[in-house]
Each structure stands twice: as structure tokens, then as C-alpha cells.
Amino acid sequence: MAKGSGEEIRLGGLGVRYVVEGKDSGGSVAMFEFEVSAGSMVPVAHSHDGYEETVYGLEGVLTFTVDGQKVEIGPGGSFCIPRGAVHRFDNVHPAGAKVLVTITPGILGPEYFREIREVFKAGADGPPDPKAIGEIMRRHGLTPAQ
């Protein structure tokens, strides 16, 4: 039976909790709840060539930019980010948001978020090291858009 650890990984205003890890699904799928505080942004637009990312809105509203097009996802809304599409998201709304993210195949695991968290901790007195963030992203199949 595929499952997640239930561990919550916090990255500033972001929280990630895997409900299914790829290692537990034979690599077919990974799923995580993604919480985003009001005003939070992912500073690096990126793409991934090895998997699709499907997003389903649970609470609040997130604004995604996918290949230059804005998509707002609220409760019950969904869309798929295809391989190679450059994307990012922002929570520009006054309330927090939560989405369920499905990664197919399930090759992005909680290790990615743990490693990013360590870079954030190391840069506690200032911004995180962009070179270190980029290296982690590439190692886990994400390509920063530059």
C-alpha cells in the first residue's frame, strides 16, 4: 500500500506533506499537500522534463504562471503542468492556500524539499544561496528558468 510519512516540511511560508511517496508506489506516482501562506512566492520559475505535475485546489487560491499564462486555482479547480512547461506560483490573496499535487511518474520525493530547507536554514541571516538552490533543483529533475 502506497503512503507518505506524514512529515511536514516547512520552507518559510510553504509547507509540504507527502501523502504518497514514489518509493511506495513502485515509482508510478507521488502526491503531496502543499500549503502556501498569504503573500508567499516561489522565486525561481522552473520546468521539469521527467514528470507531469497535476494540481488540485483544496483551500484558498494560488496563482500559477505557466508558459506566461496566468491560471488561478481554487477549491475544486485543477490543471496539469506538462513536462517542459516553465512555471511558478504566487499566493497574492489575503488567505493561505492548499493544493494537492500529483507527480507522475513519482520521481520527486521529500528529499528535494528537505535539501532546499537546509539551504534556507544556512542562509538564515539573508537570502538563500541561489547557486546551491539551482544545484539541488537540477539534481532532482527541475530546471531553473534563467
Side-chain angles (χ1 to χ4, degrees):
M1 176 190 241
K3 60 183 175 107
S5 67
E7 167 194 15
E8 182 180 40
I9 303 166
R10 297 291 315 170
L11 302 159
L14 308 177
V16 178
R17 187 179 69 80
Y18 271 76
V19 294
V20 176
E21 292 183 36
K23 66 183 175 101
D24 297 320
S25 71
S28 65
V29 66
M31 295 176 68
F32 56 89
E33 291 180 345
F34 200 58
E35 293 184 41
V36 184
S37 299
S40 294
M41 300 182 293
V42 171
V44 179
H46 64 278
S47 63
H48 21 76
D49 294 328
Y51 59 88
E52 279 78 33
E53 180 176 355
T54 302
V55 180
Y56 178 79
L58 298 172
E59 299 173 10
V61 177
L62 281 181
T63 303
F64 286 81
T65 304
V66 181
D67 286 338
Q69 300 292 322
K70 300 265 187 211
V71 178
E72 292 216 328
I73 297 297
S78 65
F79 74 104
C80 180
I81 302 169
R83 296 175 195 217
V86 174
H87 60 284
R88 61 168 288 122
F89 66 86
D90 306 290
N91 184 350
V92 298
H93 302 281
K98 184 190 290 188
V99 295
L100 180 65
V101 177
T102 303
I103 303 294
T104 51
I107 59 176
L108 182 69
E111 301 82 20
Y112 167 73
F113 295 102
R114 289 183 194 122
E115 289 180 34
I116 294 289
R117 178 180 62 195
E118 293 309 309
V119 174
F120 272 75
K121 284 182 183 178
D125 295 333
D129 178 358
K131 182 179 178 190
I133 296 282
E135 289 171 1
I136 293 167
M137 291 176 77
R138 284 185 280 283
R139 191 169 52 253
H140 288 275
L142 290 85
T143 303
Q146 305 269 352

